[in-house]
Each structure stands twice: as structure tokens, then as C-alpha cells.
Amino acid sequence: MAKKTHPKILRVGLIENWLSKGFYEKNRKEWIEEDFRIRNFLENKLRKSYLEKIEIERLPQKIQVNIYTMRPGMIIGRKGEGVEQLVKEIYQKVLKGKNVELKLEIKEVKNPWLSAPLVAYWMAQEIEKRVPYRRVLKAALSKIMSQKEAKGARVQVSGRLDGVEIARTEWLQEGKLPRQTLRAEIDFAQERAYCNYGVVGIKVWIYKGEKFE
């Protein structure tokens, strides 16, 4: 079997950065596990809020969590009640009452069609609504390529498509997608659509040009 690598992992340190940043020298194992649990809790809790990514920044006695979403109002709630409730639940279920300052900041994603996680989630919702997968592929690709910053894209679905007996993979691609070029800025995401006939896997690649910084 072929060994496949996440498109972002080879670019970390070149044009991409880690999703967890801070001073991890002393309690590296404990803090990395905490970051994983915080991110996993928020992704499960806020799955329907169109999450793009969750960044965690750590100081010795402070945790800053930045949540990037297309619908910040759904998370913030009235007068910030949603954020306060999230902080309480994280203290109770993840940090276990740990004496550390936790701050949540909600940031809006202005253009969701340039975000691979948001496109993949939209595709998953459409497939769960029993929209034909070919229509979903064409619609997603056309909306991505209608953005000026998108230089190329690929959308892919795999599984028992439209409920057929034999699973297969179907994809559409337009424009450039230089996955071997490390300075190429490629946004990648995976998602799952849970249907009556099984799980459909979704992958999205969006090429935004080259970075030389």
C-alpha cells in the first residue's frame, strides 16, 4: 500500500505553523495531551458551527484558545453567554478545575470557499441530505474556483456513493495543484458524511499560490 502524507506536515516551519504554540519545555507531555483534549472537545461540541481550525497558545499560567468559524454568533450567544458556558465546561471536563487562566477568542472566517475544512463540511452536509454526489462535487469545485485567490482545487468522495453496492472513489480537479512543491500553499481537509448506507469520506485540496516568506 502507498504511504500518504498530510500535505501540511512537510510545510510546517516553512510556510505553515503549528496549531499549538507556547512554552512546552517543562510539561510537554501533559500540555500536549491537554491541547488534544481541548481541541477534541470543542470540535465535537461545535461541529455544526462551521469550524475551520482551533489554535492554542500557552503561557505558564494562561491558555489562549482561538476558534476560527464561519458563524461566530452561534458560538458567542447573547451577551457572550455561549463563550462563558464553553469555558465552564472546559474547566469541568478537560482541565478538571486546574488553576490556570483560560480565554476563548472567536474569530470569523470571511471567505469560507477558500477554507478546505469548511468546504468539506458543506459537502458532507449536502451528501447527508441525499444530494447526488456528482452535483455536490461540481458545485463545490465551481464555488472554490470562482474565488480570485484559488489557483487550483481538487474535491474527492469515496465510499458507497449514492448507496451502490460496491464502494469507489470519485474526484474532480481544476487548475494547478503542485502537491510536491513545499512552498505551495495548499489547504487540505478531511470530513465524513454519515448516511443510512454507510460512511462517505470527503477530501478537499485548495491551492492558493506560492509563499516565499
Side-chain angles (χ1 to χ4, degrees):
M1 294 179 65
K3 295 181 179 179
K4 299 179 181 179
T5 305
H6 196 290
K8 288 187 177 181
I9 194 62
L10 294 177
R11 294 168 172 83
V12 171
L14 295 174
I15 62 172
E16 297 284 347
N17 206 342
W18 297 102
L19 292 178
S20 292
K21 296 173 283 188
F23 301 93
Y24 287 80
E25 287 79 7
K26 294 183 179 180
N27 303 312
R28 181 176 301 176
K29 181 179 178 181
E30 178 186 350
W31 285 1
I32 289 176
E33 183 180 354
E34 269 185 7
D35 289 356
F36 173 79
R37 292 170 61 194
I38 290 172
R39 189 173 283 111
N40 193 45
F41 170 79
L42 290 173
E43 286 175 352
N44 292 331
K45 182 80 175 177
L46 307 174
R47 187 175 185 271
K48 296 182 179 180
S49 301
Y50 285 85
L51 285 181
E52 181 189 44
K53 62 180 178 180
I54 298 171
E55 291 181 347
I56 299 176
E57 300 177 9
R58 276 189 178 266
L59 294 172
Q61 292 298 323
K62 182 179 179 181
I63 303 175
Q64 169 83 29
V65 181
N66 300 323
I67 302 174
Y68 293 80
T69 175
M70 192 182 80
R71 297 178 178 175
M74 292 180 63
I75 301 176
I76 297 172
R78 288 187 178 182
K79 299 181 181 179
E81 294 177 357
V83 174
E84 294 176 2
Q85 183 63 29
L86 278 177
V87 170
K88 288 181 182 179
E89 291 185 11
I90 292 173
Y91 271 120
Q92 293 173 357
K93 299 179 180 180
V94 180
L95 299 177
K96 309 292 185 182
K98 192 175 180 181
N99 186 21
V100 62
E101 181 185 355
L102 176 65
K103 183 179 179 182
L104 294 185
E105 187 172 346
I106 314 301
K107 299 187 178 183
E108 183 180 4
V109 179
K110 295 182 179 179
N111 193 345
W113 296 110
L114 286 174
S115 171
L118 296 181
V119 174
Y121 181 69
W122 177 84
M123 292 175 62
Q125 282 195 319
E126 292 297 297
I127 290 175
E128 287 175 356
K129 294 175 185 175
R130 298 186 179 182
V131 178
Y133 74 92
R134 291 187 186 277
R135 187 188 303 173
V136 175
L137 287 175
K138 290 178 181 179
L141 189 61
S142 65
K143 288 178 180 180
I144 293 170
M145 295 307 297
S146 66
Q147 310 303 315
K148 186 184 296 185
E149 295 86 350
K151 309 298 182 185
R154 173 182 170 125
V155 288
Q156 176 179 303
V157 291
S158 58
R160 292 182 57 195
L161 305 176
D162 290 343
V164 298
E165 289 295 326
I166 300 175
R168 67 185 189 278
T169 299
E170 296 284 345
W171 56 271
L172 291 177
Q173 181 173 328
E174 186 176 340
K176 296 181 179 180
L177 194 65
R179 283 176 281 183
Q180 297 86 357
T181 306
L182 294 183
R183 63 174 176 267
E185 184 182 0
I186 298 176
D187 195 9
F188 172 76
Q190 301 181 74
E191 189 57 74
R192 291 182 176 183
Y194 297 92
C195 307
N196 292 333
Y197 47 78
V199 178
V200 175
I202 299 167
K203 292 183 179 181
V204 177
W205 294 259
I206 301 177
Y207 172 50
K208 304 176 185 179
E210 295 186 355
K211 272 189 176 182
F212 294 93
E213 298 178 359

